[in-house]
Amino acid sequence: MDLFRTKSIEELRERADAGEHKLHRTLGRKDLIFLGIGAIIGAGIFSTLGTAAAGEAGVRAGAGPALVISFILLGLVCGLAGLCYAELTSMIPVSGSAYTYAFATMGELIAWIIGWDLILEYAVGNVAVAIAWSGYFQSVIGYFGVELPFWLSHGYGDVMQQLSAATHAVDADKIASLQGALDAAPHLFGRALMINLPATLIVLAITWLLVRGVKESARVNNWMVYVKLLVLAMFLVVGAFYVDPENWKPFAPNGWRGIHQGAAIVFFAYIGFDAVSTAAEECKNPQKDMPVGILAALGICTLIYVLVGLVATGLVPYAQLASGADPLARALEGAGLPIVQLVLSIGAVVSMSAVLLVFQLGQPRIFFAMSRDGLLPKVFSKVHPRYKTPHITTIATGLVVAAGAAYMDDDATYDLTNIGTLFAFLVACLGVMILRIKKPDIPRAFRVPFVWLVAPAGAAACVYTMFGLPSVAWTRFGIWLAVGVGLYFVIKIIKSRTATGSAD
Protein backbone atom coordinates (compact mmCIF):
# COMPACT_ATOMS: atom_id res chain seq x y z
CA MET A 1 0.00 0.00 0.00
CA ASP A 2 1.48 3.30 -1.13
CA LEU A 3 0.34 5.54 1.71
CA PHE A 4 1.99 8.67 0.38
CA ARG A 5 1.23 8.47 -3.34
CA THR A 6 0.21 11.86 -4.71
CA LYS A 7 -1.91 12.90 -7.68
CA SER A 8 -0.49 15.35 -10.16
CA ILE A 9 -2.21 18.69 -10.62
CA GLU A 10 -2.65 17.88 -14.31
CA GLU A 11 -4.42 14.63 -13.44
CA LEU A 12 -6.72 16.38 -10.98
CA ARG A 13 -7.66 19.02 -13.57
CA GLU A 14 -8.33 16.48 -16.33
CA ARG A 15 -10.45 14.36 -14.03
CA ALA A 16 -12.63 17.36 -13.14
CA ASP A 17 -13.37 18.25 -16.78
CA ALA A 18 -14.10 14.82 -18.19
CA GLY A 19 -16.37 11.84 -17.77
CA GLU A 20 -19.70 11.14 -16.16
CA HIS A 21 -18.63 12.77 -12.87
CA LYS A 22 -18.34 16.29 -14.31
CA LEU A 23 -20.14 19.10 -12.48
CA HIS A 24 -21.84 22.05 -14.18
CA ARG A 25 -19.87 25.36 -14.20
CA THR A 26 -22.42 28.12 -13.45
CA LEU A 27 -20.97 30.33 -10.68
CA GLY A 28 -19.50 33.78 -11.26
CA ARG A 29 -17.36 36.10 -9.11
CA LYS A 30 -20.33 37.69 -7.32
CA ASP A 31 -21.74 34.25 -6.52
CA LEU A 32 -18.44 33.23 -4.92
CA ILE A 33 -18.16 36.40 -2.80
CA PHE A 34 -21.74 35.95 -1.62
CA LEU A 35 -21.15 32.25 -0.92
CA GLY A 36 -18.23 33.31 1.28
CA ILE A 37 -20.24 35.96 3.15
CA GLY A 38 -23.15 33.56 3.39
CA ALA A 39 -20.93 30.95 5.03
CA ILE A 40 -18.94 33.26 7.30
CA ILE A 41 -21.60 35.50 8.85
CA GLY A 42 -23.87 33.20 10.79
CA ALA A 43 -23.91 31.21 14.01
CA GLY A 44 -20.45 32.47 14.98
CA ILE A 45 -21.35 36.14 15.29
CA PHE A 46 -24.96 35.51 16.35
CA SER A 47 -24.19 32.83 18.96
CA THR A 48 -20.55 32.49 20.09
CA LEU A 49 -19.90 36.22 20.56
CA GLY A 50 -21.37 36.12 24.07
CA THR A 51 -19.20 33.20 25.21
CA ALA A 52 -16.09 34.80 23.72
CA ALA A 53 -16.75 38.08 25.54
CA ALA A 54 -17.85 36.71 28.93
CA GLY A 55 -16.05 33.34 29.00
CA GLU A 56 -17.18 30.13 30.72
CA ALA A 57 -16.59 29.43 34.39
CA GLY A 58 -13.88 26.81 34.80
CA VAL A 59 -13.43 26.38 31.02
CA ARG A 60 -12.10 29.57 29.42
CA ALA A 61 -11.50 33.25 30.19
CA GLY A 62 -13.50 35.90 28.34
CA ALA A 63 -12.05 38.70 26.23
CA GLY A 64 -14.53 41.34 27.44
CA PRO A 65 -14.78 44.41 25.18
CA ALA A 66 -11.30 43.46 23.90
CA LEU A 67 -13.24 40.95 21.81
CA VAL A 68 -12.65 43.38 18.95
CA ILE A 69 -8.92 42.61 19.22
CA SER A 70 -9.77 38.90 19.05
CA PHE A 71 -11.66 39.60 15.82
CA ILE A 72 -8.76 41.57 14.33
CA LEU A 73 -6.25 38.84 15.25
CA LEU A 74 -8.47 36.18 13.73
CA GLY A 75 -8.87 38.30 10.61
CA LEU A 76 -5.06 38.28 10.27
CA VAL A 77 -4.83 34.52 10.94
CA CYS A 78 -7.55 33.73 8.40
CA GLY A 79 -6.10 36.28 5.98
CA LEU A 80 -2.79 34.41 5.94
CA ALA A 81 -4.58 31.10 5.42
CA GLY A 82 -6.88 32.76 2.88
CA LEU A 83 -3.92 33.84 0.75
CA CYS A 84 -2.72 30.23 0.70
CA TYR A 85 -6.19 28.95 -0.22
CA ALA A 86 -6.33 31.54 -3.01
CA GLU A 87 -3.10 30.27 -4.59
CA LEU A 88 -4.10 26.63 -4.24
CA THR A 89 -7.57 27.13 -5.76
CA SER A 90 -6.08 29.04 -8.70
CA MET A 91 -3.72 26.08 -9.34
CA ILE A 92 -6.13 23.22 -8.52
CA PRO A 93 -9.67 24.42 -9.38
CA VAL A 94 -11.46 21.19 -8.45
CA SER A 95 -13.79 20.04 -5.68
CA GLY A 96 -12.38 18.86 -2.38
CA SER A 97 -10.81 21.97 -0.80
CA ALA A 98 -7.97 21.10 1.61
CA TYR A 99 -8.47 17.37 0.96
CA THR A 100 -7.55 17.79 -2.72
CA TYR A 101 -4.62 20.07 -1.89
CA ALA A 102 -3.29 17.48 0.54
CA PHE A 103 -3.58 14.72 -2.09
CA ALA A 104 -1.55 16.82 -4.54
CA THR A 105 1.18 17.64 -2.01
CA MET A 106 1.39 15.17 0.89
CA GLY A 107 -0.10 11.91 -0.33
CA GLU A 108 -3.12 9.67 0.10
CA LEU A 109 -2.96 9.02 3.84
CA ILE A 110 -2.68 12.71 4.75
CA ALA A 111 -5.43 13.50 2.24
CA TRP A 112 -7.70 10.94 3.89
CA ILE A 113 -6.96 12.42 7.34
CA ILE A 114 -7.84 15.90 6.04
CA GLY A 115 -11.01 14.61 4.38
CA TRP A 116 -11.98 12.96 7.66
CA ASP A 117 -11.03 16.13 9.55
CA LEU A 118 -13.18 18.33 7.29
CA ILE A 119 -16.26 16.45 8.49
CA LEU A 120 -15.73 18.37 11.74
CA GLU A 121 -15.87 21.70 9.90
CA TYR A 122 -18.80 21.09 7.59
CA ALA A 123 -21.03 18.33 8.96
CA VAL A 124 -20.41 18.73 12.71
CA GLY A 125 -20.25 22.51 12.30
CA ASN A 126 -23.61 22.48 10.56
CA VAL A 127 -25.12 20.60 13.49
CA ALA A 128 -24.15 23.55 15.71
CA VAL A 129 -25.51 26.06 13.17
CA ALA A 130 -28.83 24.21 12.88
CA ILE A 131 -29.25 24.17 16.67
CA ALA A 132 -28.47 27.91 16.87
CA TRP A 133 -30.92 28.52 14.00
CA SER A 134 -33.60 26.70 15.98
CA GLY A 135 -32.99 28.93 19.02
CA TYR A 136 -33.50 32.14 17.04
CA PHE A 137 -36.47 30.65 15.17
CA GLN A 138 -38.19 29.83 18.44
CA SER A 139 -37.51 33.38 19.66
CA VAL A 140 -39.26 34.75 16.56
CA ILE A 141 -42.36 32.57 16.81
CA GLY A 142 -42.43 33.12 20.58
CA TYR A 143 -42.85 36.85 19.95
CA PHE A 144 -46.16 35.99 18.27
CA GLY A 145 -47.28 33.73 21.12
CA VAL A 146 -46.34 30.40 19.52
CA GLU A 147 -44.41 27.98 21.72
CA LEU A 148 -43.37 24.47 20.77
CA PRO A 149 -43.55 21.67 23.33
CA PHE A 150 -40.25 21.39 25.20
CA TRP A 151 -39.65 17.84 23.96
CA LEU A 152 -39.95 19.00 20.32
CA SER A 153 -37.68 22.02 20.67
CA HIS A 154 -34.66 20.64 22.56
CA GLY A 155 -32.45 17.70 21.68
CA TYR A 156 -31.73 15.07 24.33
CA GLY A 157 -28.03 15.97 24.35
CA ASP A 158 -28.89 19.65 24.80
CA VAL A 159 -31.13 18.91 27.79
CA MET A 160 -28.49 16.70 29.42
CA GLN A 161 -25.85 19.40 28.90
CA GLN A 162 -28.11 21.98 30.55
CA LEU A 163 -28.79 19.56 33.40
CA SER A 164 -25.05 19.02 33.91
CA ALA A 165 -24.40 22.78 33.94
CA ALA A 166 -27.24 23.36 36.42
CA THR A 167 -25.90 20.60 38.68
CA HIS A 168 -22.41 22.14 38.55
CA ALA A 169 -23.88 25.54 39.46
CA VAL A 170 -26.11 23.99 42.16
CA ASP A 171 -29.16 25.62 40.57
CA ALA A 172 -31.99 23.67 42.21
CA ASP A 173 -34.78 25.45 40.32
CA LYS A 174 -33.18 24.77 36.94
CA ILE A 175 -32.55 21.14 37.84
CA ALA A 176 -36.17 20.65 38.90
CA SER A 177 -37.44 22.35 35.71
CA LEU A 178 -35.31 20.18 33.42
CA GLN A 179 -36.09 17.00 35.31
CA GLY A 180 -39.78 17.82 35.06
CA ALA A 181 -39.46 18.31 31.29
CA LEU A 182 -37.74 14.94 30.96
CA ASP A 183 -40.46 13.22 32.99
CA ALA A 184 -43.26 14.89 30.97
CA ALA A 185 -41.79 13.99 27.56
CA PRO A 186 -42.91 10.87 25.67
CA HIS A 187 -40.69 7.90 26.37
CA LEU A 188 -39.23 5.38 23.94
CA PHE A 189 -37.52 2.24 25.25
CA GLY A 190 -37.56 3.73 28.73
CA ARG A 191 -35.80 6.97 27.66
CA ALA A 192 -37.25 10.45 27.27
CA LEU A 193 -37.86 11.32 23.61
CA MET A 194 -36.38 14.79 23.13
CA ILE A 195 -35.75 16.11 19.60
CA ASN A 196 -35.01 19.53 18.16
CA LEU A 197 -37.65 19.47 15.42
CA PRO A 198 -37.01 22.95 13.90
CA ALA A 199 -33.28 22.18 13.52
CA THR A 200 -34.08 18.88 11.83
CA LEU A 201 -36.58 20.34 9.38
CA ILE A 202 -34.39 23.25 8.25
CA VAL A 203 -31.51 20.86 7.44
CA LEU A 204 -33.84 18.64 5.37
CA ALA A 205 -35.23 21.69 3.51
CA ILE A 206 -31.71 22.95 2.68
CA THR A 207 -30.74 19.47 1.50
CA TRP A 208 -33.71 19.38 -0.90
CA LEU A 209 -32.72 22.78 -2.32
CA LEU A 210 -29.10 21.71 -2.89
CA VAL A 211 -30.14 18.57 -4.74
CA ARG A 212 -32.12 20.80 -7.13
CA GLY A 213 -29.01 22.62 -8.37
CA VAL A 214 -26.05 24.79 -7.34
CA LYS A 215 -27.11 27.84 -9.37
CA GLU A 216 -30.55 27.83 -7.77
CA SER A 217 -28.93 27.43 -4.36
CA ALA A 218 -26.53 30.31 -5.05
CA ARG A 219 -29.43 32.54 -6.11
CA VAL A 220 -31.26 31.86 -2.84
CA ASN A 221 -28.03 32.42 -0.91
CA ASN A 222 -27.49 35.81 -2.58
CA TRP A 223 -30.88 37.05 -1.37
CA MET A 224 -30.21 35.76 2.14
CA VAL A 225 -26.87 37.59 2.19
CA TYR A 226 -28.61 40.86 1.30
CA VAL A 227 -30.99 40.32 4.23
CA LYS A 228 -28.24 39.52 6.74
CA LEU A 229 -26.18 42.57 5.72
CA LEU A 230 -29.21 44.86 6.06
CA VAL A 231 -30.02 43.43 9.51
CA LEU A 232 -26.46 43.84 10.77
CA ALA A 233 -26.38 47.39 9.36
CA MET A 234 -29.58 48.10 11.32
CA PHE A 235 -27.97 46.66 14.48
CA LEU A 236 -24.94 48.90 14.03
CA VAL A 237 -26.83 52.11 13.20
CA VAL A 238 -29.53 51.78 15.86
CA GLY A 239 -27.25 50.30 18.49
CA ALA A 240 -24.64 53.04 18.07
CA PHE A 241 -27.09 55.58 19.57
CA TYR A 242 -27.41 53.50 22.76
CA VAL A 243 -23.76 52.66 23.35
CA ASP A 244 -22.48 53.52 26.83
CA PRO A 245 -18.67 53.89 26.81
CA GLU A 246 -18.61 52.88 30.47
CA ASN A 247 -19.48 49.34 29.35
CA TRP A 248 -16.07 49.16 27.66
CA LYS A 249 -14.33 49.40 31.06
CA PRO A 250 -12.33 47.37 31.85
CA PHE A 251 -11.46 46.84 28.19
CA ALA A 252 -9.50 43.60 28.64
CA PRO A 253 -10.56 42.16 32.03
CA ASN A 254 -8.54 38.95 31.59
CA GLY A 255 -5.61 40.41 29.68
CA TRP A 256 -4.01 38.58 26.76
CA ARG A 257 -5.22 35.21 28.07
CA GLY A 258 -8.82 36.31 27.65
CA ILE A 259 -8.17 37.73 24.18
CA HIS A 260 -6.45 34.51 23.09
CA GLN A 261 -9.09 32.16 24.48
CA GLY A 262 -11.88 34.42 23.27
CA ALA A 263 -10.40 34.27 19.78
CA ALA A 264 -10.26 30.48 19.92
CA ILE A 265 -14.03 30.15 20.51
CA VAL A 266 -15.18 33.02 18.29
CA PHE A 267 -13.06 31.55 15.48
CA PHE A 268 -16.31 29.74 14.68
CA ALA A 269 -17.45 33.10 13.29
CA TYR A 270 -14.76 32.91 10.59
CA ILE A 271 -15.35 29.35 9.47
CA GLY A 272 -16.71 29.35 5.96
CA PHE A 273 -14.43 31.36 3.69
CA ASP A 274 -12.69 28.13 2.69
CA ALA A 275 -16.09 26.66 1.77
CA VAL A 276 -15.86 28.76 -1.38
CA SER A 277 -13.02 26.51 -2.55
CA THR A 278 -15.27 23.44 -2.49
CA ALA A 279 -17.29 24.96 -5.36
CA ALA A 280 -14.24 25.38 -7.62
CA GLU A 281 -15.51 22.85 -10.18
CA GLU A 282 -18.77 24.77 -10.53
CA CYS A 283 -17.07 28.14 -11.11
CA LYS A 284 -16.93 29.59 -14.65
CA ASN A 285 -13.44 31.10 -14.28
CA PRO A 286 -11.93 29.53 -11.15
CA GLN A 287 -8.33 30.65 -11.69
CA LYS A 288 -9.28 34.34 -11.50
CA ASP A 289 -12.53 34.38 -9.54
CA MET A 290 -11.76 31.96 -6.68
CA PRO A 291 -8.99 34.12 -5.09
CA VAL A 292 -11.21 37.21 -5.32
CA GLY A 293 -14.17 35.36 -3.83
CA ILE A 294 -12.18 34.05 -0.86
CA LEU A 295 -10.26 37.21 0.03
CA ALA A 296 -13.09 39.70 -0.60
CA ALA A 297 -15.53 37.75 1.57
CA LEU A 298 -12.96 37.49 4.35
CA GLY A 299 -12.13 41.21 4.31
CA ILE A 300 -15.77 42.33 4.31
CA CYS A 301 -16.70 40.03 7.18
CA THR A 302 -13.72 41.06 9.35
CA LEU A 303 -14.75 44.71 9.13
CA ILE A 304 -18.36 43.87 10.02
CA TYR A 305 -17.27 41.72 12.98
CA VAL A 306 -15.12 44.45 14.53
CA LEU A 307 -17.98 46.97 14.32
CA VAL A 308 -20.55 44.49 15.69
CA GLY A 309 -18.22 43.59 18.58
CA LEU A 310 -17.79 47.26 19.52
CA VAL A 311 -21.52 47.98 19.51
CA ALA A 312 -22.55 44.75 21.29
CA THR A 313 -20.13 45.24 24.19
CA GLY A 314 -21.08 48.91 24.35
CA LEU A 315 -24.82 48.29 24.67
CA VAL A 316 -24.64 46.21 27.88
CA PRO A 317 -21.92 45.03 30.28
CA TYR A 318 -20.13 42.18 28.52
CA ALA A 319 -21.04 39.67 31.27
CA GLN A 320 -24.72 39.97 30.26
CA LEU A 321 -23.93 38.60 26.80
CA ALA A 322 -23.10 35.16 28.23
CA SER A 323 -26.65 33.99 28.98
CA GLY A 324 -28.37 32.35 26.03
CA ALA A 325 -27.53 31.49 22.44
CA ASP A 326 -28.62 34.89 21.10
CA PRO A 327 -26.18 37.49 22.51
CA LEU A 328 -26.94 40.24 19.97
CA ALA A 329 -30.67 39.96 20.63
CA ARG A 330 -30.00 40.09 24.38
CA ALA A 331 -27.83 43.17 23.94
CA LEU A 332 -30.75 44.92 22.25
CA GLU A 333 -33.13 43.65 24.93
CA GLY A 334 -30.87 45.06 27.62
CA ALA A 335 -30.87 48.40 25.81
CA GLY A 336 -34.69 48.42 25.76
CA LEU A 337 -35.15 47.84 22.00
CA PRO A 338 -37.60 44.90 21.70
CA ILE A 339 -38.79 45.69 18.15
CA VAL A 340 -35.24 45.90 16.85
CA GLN A 341 -34.54 42.69 18.76
CA LEU A 342 -37.32 40.94 16.82
CA VAL A 343 -35.99 42.19 13.48
CA LEU A 344 -32.49 41.02 14.43
CA SER A 345 -33.80 37.56 15.37
CA ILE A 346 -35.55 37.28 12.00
CA GLY A 347 -32.31 38.34 10.31
CA ALA A 348 -30.39 35.74 12.32
CA VAL A 349 -32.77 33.03 11.11
CA VAL A 350 -32.14 34.09 7.49
CA SER A 351 -28.41 34.49 8.10
CA MET A 352 -27.91 31.04 9.55
CA SER A 353 -30.03 29.55 6.78
CA ALA A 354 -27.37 30.85 4.38
CA VAL A 355 -24.61 29.24 6.48
CA LEU A 356 -26.45 25.93 6.48
CA LEU A 357 -26.79 26.14 2.72
CA VAL A 358 -23.09 26.80 2.02
CA PHE A 359 -21.82 24.22 4.51
CA GLN A 360 -24.26 21.62 3.20
CA LEU A 361 -22.93 22.46 -0.27
CA GLY A 362 -19.31 21.94 0.84
CA GLN A 363 -19.37 18.60 2.67
CA PRO A 364 -20.95 16.50 -0.15
CA ARG A 365 -18.37 17.83 -2.62
CA ILE A 366 -15.53 16.65 -0.40
CA PHE A 367 -17.09 13.17 -0.23
CA PHE A 368 -17.62 13.43 -4.00
CA ALA A 369 -13.90 14.11 -4.57
CA MET A 370 -12.84 11.32 -2.21
CA SER A 371 -15.11 8.89 -4.07
CA ARG A 372 -13.59 9.81 -7.45
CA ASP A 373 -10.17 9.14 -5.94
CA GLY A 374 -11.26 5.67 -4.84
CA LEU A 375 -11.21 6.38 -1.11
CA LEU A 376 -14.99 6.07 -0.79
CA PRO A 377 -17.49 3.87 -2.70
CA LYS A 378 -18.07 4.94 -6.31
CA VAL A 379 -21.76 5.52 -5.66
CA PHE A 380 -20.77 8.73 -3.83
CA SER A 381 -19.40 10.24 -7.04
CA LYS A 382 -22.63 9.89 -8.99
CA VAL A 383 -24.03 13.09 -10.53
CA HIS A 384 -27.76 13.64 -10.89
CA PRO A 385 -28.65 13.26 -14.60
CA ARG A 386 -30.92 16.30 -14.58
CA TYR A 387 -29.65 18.67 -11.88
CA LYS A 388 -25.91 17.89 -12.33
CA THR A 389 -25.34 17.84 -8.57
CA PRO A 390 -23.71 15.14 -6.37
CA HIS A 391 -27.13 14.11 -5.10
CA ILE A 392 -26.13 10.89 -3.31
CA THR A 393 -23.59 12.59 -1.04
CA THR A 394 -25.87 15.61 -0.60
CA ILE A 395 -28.76 13.46 0.63
CA ALA A 396 -26.53 11.28 2.82
CA THR A 397 -24.91 14.35 4.42
CA GLY A 398 -28.30 15.97 4.97
CA LEU A 399 -29.68 12.93 6.77
CA VAL A 400 -26.64 12.62 9.07
CA VAL A 401 -26.62 16.33 9.94
CA ALA A 402 -30.39 16.33 10.50
CA ALA A 403 -30.05 13.41 12.93
CA GLY A 404 -27.24 15.18 14.80
CA ALA A 405 -29.20 18.44 14.98
CA ALA A 406 -32.20 16.54 16.37
CA TYR A 407 -30.38 15.06 19.37
CA MET A 408 -27.03 16.78 20.04
CA ASP A 409 -26.09 19.95 21.96
CA ASP A 410 -24.11 22.74 20.33
CA ASP A 411 -21.54 23.48 23.07
CA ALA A 412 -19.45 20.39 22.32
CA THR A 413 -19.58 20.95 18.57
CA TYR A 414 -18.15 24.51 18.54
CA ASP A 415 -14.72 23.62 19.93
CA LEU A 416 -14.48 20.41 17.92
CA THR A 417 -15.37 22.26 14.72
CA ASN A 418 -12.84 25.01 15.45
CA ILE A 419 -9.89 22.70 16.05
CA GLY A 420 -10.71 20.61 12.98
CA THR A 421 -10.94 23.69 10.75
CA LEU A 422 -7.70 25.19 12.06
CA PHE A 423 -5.98 21.89 11.27
CA ALA A 424 -7.24 22.12 7.67
CA PHE A 425 -5.99 25.71 7.43
CA LEU A 426 -2.59 24.52 8.69
CA VAL A 427 -2.43 21.96 5.88
CA ALA A 428 -3.29 24.62 3.27
CA CYS A 429 -0.39 26.79 4.47
CA LEU A 430 2.00 23.83 4.36
CA GLY A 431 0.68 22.78 0.95
CA VAL A 432 1.57 26.11 -0.66
CA MET A 433 5.17 25.80 0.52
CA ILE A 434 5.46 22.19 -0.67
CA LEU A 435 4.17 23.05 -4.16
CA ARG A 436 6.52 26.04 -4.42
CA ILE A 437 9.37 23.54 -3.97
CA LYS A 438 7.98 20.58 -5.96
CA LYS A 439 6.20 22.51 -8.75
CA PRO A 440 7.86 25.93 -8.98
CA ASP A 441 7.12 26.40 -12.69
CA ILE A 442 3.44 25.47 -12.81
CA PRO A 443 1.20 28.42 -13.83
CA ARG A 444 -0.39 30.26 -10.91
CA ALA A 445 -3.14 32.79 -11.61
CA PHE A 446 -2.61 34.04 -8.05
CA ARG A 447 0.64 33.89 -6.09
CA VAL A 448 0.96 34.42 -2.34
CA PRO A 449 3.11 37.54 -1.84
CA PHE A 450 6.19 36.99 0.34
CA VAL A 451 5.25 33.31 0.48
CA TRP A 452 8.13 32.24 2.73
CA LEU A 453 6.94 34.75 5.31
CA VAL A 454 3.16 34.49 4.85
CA ALA A 455 2.78 30.69 4.69
CA PRO A 456 4.94 29.84 7.77
CA ALA A 457 3.29 32.69 9.70
CA GLY A 458 -0.14 31.34 8.73
CA ALA A 459 0.79 27.83 9.86
CA ALA A 460 2.19 29.09 13.17
CA ALA A 461 -0.85 31.31 13.76
CA CYS A 462 -3.20 28.36 13.24
CA VAL A 463 -1.30 26.22 15.76
CA TYR A 464 -1.24 29.09 18.27
CA THR A 465 -4.99 29.62 17.97
CA MET A 466 -5.58 25.87 18.44
CA PHE A 467 -3.77 26.03 21.78
CA GLY A 468 -6.36 28.53 22.98
CA LEU A 469 -8.99 25.77 22.95
CA PRO A 470 -9.74 23.73 26.10
CA SER A 471 -8.02 20.39 26.67
CA VAL A 472 -11.25 18.45 26.14
CA ALA A 473 -11.32 19.70 22.53
CA TRP A 474 -7.83 18.29 21.96
CA THR A 475 -8.83 14.96 23.49
CA ARG A 476 -11.91 14.65 21.29
CA PHE A 477 -9.92 15.73 18.23
CA GLY A 478 -7.27 13.09 18.92
CA ILE A 479 -9.93 10.40 19.26
CA TRP A 480 -11.61 11.56 16.04
CA LEU A 481 -8.34 11.38 14.07
CA ALA A 482 -7.47 7.97 15.55
CA VAL A 483 -10.83 6.59 14.45
CA GLY A 484 -10.30 8.09 10.99
CA VAL A 485 -6.85 6.54 10.56
CA GLY A 486 -8.17 3.17 11.72
CA LEU A 487 -11.02 3.37 9.23
CA TYR A 488 -8.57 4.21 6.43
CA PHE A 489 -6.57 1.02 7.01
CA VAL A 490 -9.73 -1.07 7.26
CA ILE A 491 -10.84 0.25 3.86
CA LYS A 492 -7.38 -0.39 2.35
CA ILE A 493 -7.33 -3.96 3.65
CA ILE A 494 -10.83 -4.67 2.29
CA LYS A 495 -9.91 -3.21 -1.11
CA SER A 496 -6.67 -5.17 -1.17
CA ARG A 497 -8.42 -8.48 -0.43
CA THR A 498 -11.13 -7.71 -2.96
CA ALA A 499 -8.52 -7.02 -5.64
CA THR A 500 -6.67 -10.26 -4.78
CA GLY A 501 -9.90 -12.25 -4.95
CA SER A 502 -10.72 -10.78 -8.38
CA ALA A 503 -7.27 -11.66 -9.68
CA ASP A 504 -7.54 -15.26 -8.44
Side-chain angles (χ1 to χ4, degrees):
M1 295 185 293
D2 189 359
L3 304 182
F4 300 101
R5 70 179 182 92
T6 60
K7 287 204 169 186
S8 69
I9 294 174
E10 295 77 13
E11 181 183 359
L12 290 168
R13 287 175 174 172
E14 290 173 4
R15 182 199 63 182
D17 291 325
E20 61 178 318
H21 306 304
K22 182 178 180 181
L23 299 175
H24 193 36
R25 295 190 181 274
T26 59
L27 302 178
R29 181 173 296 184
K30 175 186 172 184
D31 295 321
L32 296 174
I33 294 174
F34 274 60
L35 280 175
I37 297 174
I40 297 171
I41 299 179
I45 191 66
F46 285 107
S47 295
T48 62
L49 181 146
T51 302
E56 293 178 88
V59 179
R60 76 183 90 236
L67 173 70
V68 295
I69 297 179
S70 299
F71 278 132
I72 293 171
L73 289 173
L74 284 174
L76 293 174
V77 172
C78 294
L80 295 171
L83 289 169
C84 295
Y85 267 94
E87 178 168 320
L88 291 169
T89 54
S90 71
M91 294 174 61
I92 315 172
V94 300
S95 292
S97 187
Y99 157 77
T100 300
Y101 311 147
F103 214 146
T105 57
M106 304 178 198
E108 181 180 287
L109 176 59
I110 304 301
W112 168 270
I113 292 173
I114 295 301
W116 181 256
D117 168 73
L118 286 174
I119 296 174
L120 296 178
E121 176 178 0
Y122 293 107
V124 177
N126 238 9
V127 169
V129 177
I131 295 171
W133 182 94
S134 176
Y136 272 98
F137 175 76
Q138 292 177 62
S139 296
V140 171
I141 63 175
Y143 186 86
F144 298 101
V146 179
E147 185 176 354
L148 295 175
F150 192 86
W151 69 277
L152 285 178
S153 57
H154 295 79
Y156 186 82
D158 179 34
V159 175
M160 298 310 294
Q161 188 276 331
Q162 290 186 48
L163 190 59
S164 174
T167 302
H168 185 267
V170 197
D171 187 340
D173 292 340
K174 183 72 170 179
I175 294 172
S177 174
L178 291 170
Q179 194 60 56
L182 287 169
D183 293 339
H187 282 63
L188 184 66
F189 303 118
R191 188 175 186 179
L193 181 63
M194 311 285 293
I195 62 172
N196 195 327
L197 185 61
T200 305
L201 294 180
I202 186 60
V203 171
L204 294 177
I206 292 292
T207 301
W208 172 82
L209 177 62
L210 286 168
V211 170
R212 299 277 298 178
V214 69
K215 186 61 180 177
E216 291 76 8
S217 302
R219 190 176 295 117
V220 172
N221 175 74
N222 290 351
W223 282 107
M224 289 193 288
V225 168
Y226 285 128
V227 171
K228 76 167 67 179
L229 292 179
L230 286 172
V231 168
L232 287 175
M234 177 208 65
F235 174 82
L236 293 173
V237 172
V238 175
F241 289 99
Y242 294 85
V243 165
D244 181 0
E246 289 299 314
N247 290 329
W248 291 331
K249 299 176 183 178
F251 184 69
N254 293 299
W256 181 254
R257 175 169 166 264
I259 294 171
H260 181 207
Q261 295 187 357
I265 179 62
V266 87
F267 173 76
F268 194 85
Y270 278 89
I271 292 175
F273 77 84
D274 58 311
V276 177
S277 64
T278 65
E281 275 185 54
E282 290 147 294
C283 178
K284 296 175 185 176
N285 189 359
Q287 282 84 359
K288 292 184 178 180
D289 291 346
M290 291 300 294
V292 174
I294 291 172
L295 297 176
L298 188 56
I300 292 169
C301 292
T302 299
L303 176 61
I304 292 172
Y305 282 173
V306 170
L307 296 175
V308 169
L310 279 171
V311 172
T313 54
L315 284 173
V316 295
Y318 68 88
Q320 294 184 22
L321 299 173
S323 55
D326 49 357
L328 298 188
R330 289 185 175 273
L332 292 170
E333 181 183 18
L337 299 167
I339 299 300
V340 183
Q341 177 190 357
L342 172 64
V343 175
L344 180 84
S345 295
I346 295 173
V349 168
V350 175
S351 174
M352 285 186 275
S353 298
V355 177
L356 286 166
L357 188 149
V358 180
F359 276 29
Q360 286 293 98
L361 180 146
Q363 181 67 77
R365 281 150 182 80
I366 294 170
F367 288 150
F368 175 81
M370 294 175 75
S371 174
R372 287 194 309 194
D373 292 331
L375 297 182
L376 290 176
K378 286 299 181 184
V379 68
F380 288 156
S381 58
K382 285 185 176 294
V383 175
H384 195 282
R386 178 181 175 187
Y387 301 127
K388 301 300 181 184
T389 56
H391 60 296
I392 301 295
T393 53
T394 300
I395 294 171
T397 301
L399 293 175
V400 171
V401 173
Y407 294 103
M408 291 176 66
D409 74 281
D410 57 354
D411 280 355
T413 59
Y414 284 131
D415 285 333
L416 196 54
T417 301
N418 286 351
I419 197 169
T421 305
L422 284 162
F423 185 63
F425 288 4
L426 169 64
V427 169
C429 294
L430 296 176
V432 165
M433 293 186 284
I434 292 172
L435 284 177
R436 284 294 184 98
I437 296 172
K438 293 176 64 176
K439 300 282 186 178
D441 300 324
I442 196 166
R444 291 167 168 83
F446 176 86
R447 299 178 69 91
V448 175
F450 308 107
V451 65
W452 296 110
L453 174 64
V454 169
C462 289
V463 173
Y464 180 71
T465 306
M466 291 168 75
F467 278 108
L469 291 165
S471 57
V472 65
W474 282 90
T475 301
R476 290 170 175 168
F477 182 58
I479 294 171
W480 179 262
L481 291 186
V483 171
V485 172
L487 182 60
Y488 170 81
F489 284 107
V490 168
I491 292 173
K492 294 293 286 185
I493 291 170
I494 291 174
K495 290 181 65 176
S496 176
R497 290 182 176 178
T498 302
T500 302
S502 299
D504 293 341

